[in-house]
């Protein structure tokens, strides 16, 4: 029942009928996502640079993973605030996976499985020192960026630029 009411509130907010001024500051989320997007582009093009030493390629990869971690952490915390403050959902948990489930239930994105995969990638990069999990994380990055941009646009009603 809460999902139906919240979905209607989301539609009202995005149509400009949600009432009062926006109280959530999305700047940190937007900045972290933009930095991730730019660094992932840089990393993706690094294969074209023949003279780039392997150590520098690895540093680019590590930078992308670090920026993913920062962006992911900003994202789920902003999503929590959105669910609480904009949609009025009480007692939102303070943990990413249940927050992503609530976001899905409230039609903020079409698939919860992808978001749960990003949550697992975030956990894995925190506890893996071999680099294998970082490589898996890098393979998800294009999808994560696209989904994070889509969520940004849904929550803010702004076009990504």
């Amino acid at each position: 029942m809460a999902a139906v009411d919240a979905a209607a509130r989301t539609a009202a907010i995005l149509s400009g009928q949600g009432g009062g001024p926006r109280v959530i500051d999305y700047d940190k989320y937007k900045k972290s996502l933009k930095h991730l997007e730019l660094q992932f582009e840089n990393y993706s093009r690094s294969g074209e640079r023949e003279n780039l030493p392997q150590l520098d390629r690895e540093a680019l990869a590590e930078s992308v993973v670090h920026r993913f971690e920062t962006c992911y952490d900003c994202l789920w915390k902003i999503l929590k605030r959105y669910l609480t403050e904009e949609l009025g959902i009480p007692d939102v948990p303070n943990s990413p996976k249940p927050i992503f489930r609530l976001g899905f239930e409230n039609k903020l994105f079409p698939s919860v499985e992808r978001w749960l995969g990003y949550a697992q990638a975030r956990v894995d990069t925190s506890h893996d020192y071999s680099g294998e999990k970082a490589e898996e994380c890098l393979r998800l990055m294009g999808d994560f960026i696209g989904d994070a941009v889509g969520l940004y646009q849904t929550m803010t009603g702004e076009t990504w630029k």
Side-chain angles (χ1 to χ4, degrees):
M1 185 163 78
V4 174
D5 295 336
R9 284 192 294 268
T10 297
I13 290 166
L14 295 179
S15 69
Q17 302 169 4
R22 182 181 297 151
V23 295
I24 299 174
D25 182 359
Y26 293 94
D27 288 344
K28 186 175 178 184
Y29 171 39
K30 184 177 183 178
K31 183 178 178 180
S32 70
L33 180 53
K34 182 53 81 175
H35 285 174
L36 172 61
E37 186 178 51
L38 293 172
Q39 191 64 342
F40 183 63
E41 288 174 18
N42 191 23
Y43 166 76
S44 297
R45 289 191 311 265
S46 69
E48 301 167 7
R49 296 165 52 193
E50 295 174 13
N51 296 331
L52 187 66
Q54 183 61 29
L55 184 61
D56 290 349
R57 287 181 208 274
E58 290 172 10
L60 285 171
E62 289 171 7
S63 176
V64 170
V65 170
H66 177 71
R67 289 178 188 265
F68 161 72
E69 293 169 339
T70 301
C71 182
Y72 172 89
D73 290 346
C74 288
L75 181 150
W76 78 261
K77 291 171 186 173
I78 286 289
L79 178 56
K80 178 184 172 152
R81 287 194 62 196
Y82 183 86
L83 292 167
T84 303
E85 297 174 21
E86 296 286 346
L87 300 186
I89 299 173
D91 303 320
V92 174
N94 195 31
S95 179
K97 289 181 182 181
I99 288 172
F100 292 138
R101 287 186 186 98
L102 279 172
F104 171 71
E105 290 169 9
N106 288 281
K107 303 187 182 353
L108 297 177
F109 37 82
S111 169
V112 72
E113 289 81 16
R114 284 170 67 131
W115 289 97
L116 296 177
Y118 303 144
Q120 189 59 52
R122 174 63 176 97
V123 169
D124 289 347
T125 59
S126 297
H127 303 289
D128 177 58
Y129 304 102
S130 68
E132 291 175 22
K133 299 295 184 179
E135 289 175 21
E136 291 175 26
C137 180
L138 288 167
R139 284 191 286 276
L140 294 174
M141 213 45 45
D143 289 339
F144 173 78
I145 291 168
D147 288 343
V149 165
L151 183 58
Y152 174 86
Q153 293 178 140
T154 297
M155 289 190 299
T156 65
E158 297 175 6
T159 301
W160 185 253
K161 30 187 165 143

